[in-house]
Amino acid sequence: MLFYGPPGTGKTSTILALAKELYGPELMKSRVLELNASDERGISIVREKVKDFARMQLTNPPPGYKSKYPCPPFKIIILDEADSMTQDAQSALRRTMETYSKITRFCLICNYVTRIIDPLASRCSKFRFKSLDEGNAKMRLKDIANLEKVAVEDGAVDALIRCSDGDLRKAITFLQSGARLVGAGEADGDEGDKMDVDSAVVTAKIVEDIAGVIPDSTIQRLVKAMKPHGSGKSPYQAAAKAVKDMVADGWSASQTMSQLYQAIVFDETIPDIQKNKIVTVFSQVDKRLVDGADEHLAILDLSLRISGIMGGQ
């Protein structure tokens, strides 16, 4: 099997849950081999560790164990973050996968399916994991908050979903950080270790602060500065001041771009023909930032070019 999709969508959890259901706690160690990106997974490991595990004969389950767990007659090798494996290591897997398929099955997990070599991908059943939908993610976060006895404001769960962008792992981390923050605020003196989180509520504002989300008012101020003014004045002064203030406040360029993109794309007052040109500018500036351009200059250039497009230049 080949599981692929964005991070935090449950790929590793799915295969581990499946393995536990198939083999139960006693056979998990002998029937499942999990190799992560943190482990050495070069060609030598594939030739030795993986091959040795793949050809190892199966041990019989204890008496009466099969009545609780199915224990199918094969082992599972889980290669997590397989897209970080070298091409040589991936090539070395091909024969092993075919030769021992009767007693060993493989599950490759990756974020980018294009980094898995075609001969390996064609030997697998592909399963695409998409970003989690809001309904299920909300339910899970509320369950965690209830189990951990963390008081969460209604809008905070929506903020968690919005800030994490379909990554449940990230949302849970933000929730945990928020709970710690309100707990740390309440706890003082010797009770600091106990950290009583029941006494305070995690709010949307706390979540946004942890996630580094820029306030809407700040983004709108920048959008307003970029829009053409009827007086015929150059937009440079207003845009430069708005960008300078944002940089001085410490907002990151990538977060500014992300939120500015949302604000402009969903702005009904901007014609579609202008939006087409603006999106191209966003892609160019994003590339520059990835290549290590100066954040202040990149955002200033982005703002002025967008302003020029809006002004019909």
Side-chain angles (χ1 to χ4, degrees):
M1 294 189 289
L2 174 60
F3 291 176
Y4 65 97
T9 51
K11 299 184 293 296
T12 310
S13 303
T14 300
I15 191 62
L16 288 175
L18 176 66
K20 280 175 185 165
E21 210 164 292
L22 288 176
Y23 303 116
E26 284 185 41
L27 284 183
M28 266 293 284
K29 279 213 167 80
S30 61
R31 293 281 183 100
V32 180
L33 173 70
E34 186 189 2
L35 292 175
N36 207 307
S38 54
D39 302 311
E40 175 58 52
R41 291 181 313 180
I43 192 163
S44 58
I45 291 293
V46 172
R47 282 180 176 155
E48 293 160 22
K49 197 170 180 179
V50 172
K51 206 168 182 182
D52 288 348
F53 184 83
R55 64 178 164 207
M56 201 168 65
Q57 288 306 311
L58 297 167
T59 52
N60 287 325
Y65 196 72
K66 269 203 153 189
S67 59
K68 295 184 206 165
Y69 303 100
C71 300
F74 55 77
K75 305 182 293 297
I76 297 177
I77 295 178
I78 302 167
L79 295 170
D80 205 345
E81 298 185 37
D83 46 4
S84 63
M85 288 174 79
T86 62
Q87 295 234 342
D88 290 343
Q90 290 187 39
S91 300
L93 268 180
R94 295 186 303 179
R95 292 298 299 150
T96 309
M97 281 173 81
E98 281 187 348
T99 312
Y100 304 106
S101 62
K102 276 206 170 107
I103 57 166
T104 306
R105 303 291 159 84
F106 283 77
C107 180
L108 309 181
I109 302 170
C110 65
N111 295 134
Y112 304 102
V113 73
T114 49
R115 291 187 193 165
I116 303 294
I117 60 171
D118 286 343
L120 213 53
S122 68
R123 285 169 168 79
C124 298
S125 297
K126 289 184 187 171
F127 296 89
R128 181 176 174 269
F129 284 65
K130 64 178 194 297
S131 295
L132 294 167
D133 60 283
E134 284 191 19
N136 285 323
K138 254 186 196 175
M139 275 166 51
R140 188 75 193 118
L141 288 168
K142 282 178 179 172
D143 281 351
I144 292 168
N146 288 336
L147 291 167
E148 296 292 335
K149 297 182 175 56
V150 176
V152 180
E153 185 186 76
D154 281 350
V157 179
D158 292 325
L160 283 167
I161 303 285
R162 194 170 60 249
C163 297
S164 62
D165 207 16
D167 184 338
L168 189 60
R169 189 192 295 130
K170 198 190 277 185
I172 293 168
T173 306
F174 288 156
L175 175 62
Q176 188 177 7
S177 304
R180 283 272 167 199
L181 192 65
V182 295
E186 291 297 310
D188 54 1
D190 297 330
E191 293 182 2
D193 291 335
K194 292 177 189 172
M195 209 159 282
D196 175 25
V197 293
D198 297 354
S199 49
V201 179
V202 177
T203 63
K205 174 81 172 69
I206 287 169
V207 171
E208 287 179 352
D209 285 350
I210 289 167
V213 173
I214 304 166
D216 276 345
S217 56
T218 307
I219 292 291
Q220 287 309 320
R221 199 179 311 134
L222 180 58
V223 173
K224 190 180 173 188
M226 289 190 303
K227 284 189 175 175
H229 303 284
S231 57
K233 271 175 31 184
S234 164
Y236 175 78
Q237 295 296 340
K241 186 182 183 313
V243 171
K244 189 180 175 185
D245 290 347
M246 287 183 78
V247 171
D249 286 342
W251 300 118
S252 80
S254 57
Q255 186 67 31
T256 304
M257 274 195 63
S258 172
Q259 287 185 238
L260 186 60
Y261 178 80
Q262 295 292 329
I264 286 173
V265 165
F266 293 108
D267 189 338
E268 297 294 334
T269 61
I270 302 170
D272 285 352
I273 190 79
Q274 287 186 1
K275 283 182 186 173
N276 277 350
K277 292 176 184 172
I278 288 169
V279 168
T280 309
V281 174
F282 269 107
S283 67
Q284 288 168 351
V285 175
D286 189 36
K287 169 77 169 67
R288 284 184 206 157
L289 283 172
V290 170
D291 289 343
D294 181 276
E295 294 199 352
H296 188 171
L297 290 176
I299 296 298
L300 181 59
D301 180 45
L302 174 74
S303 307
L304 293 172
R305 285 170 71 186
I306 292 172
S307 183
I309 291 166
M310 285 184 190
Q313 290 172 22

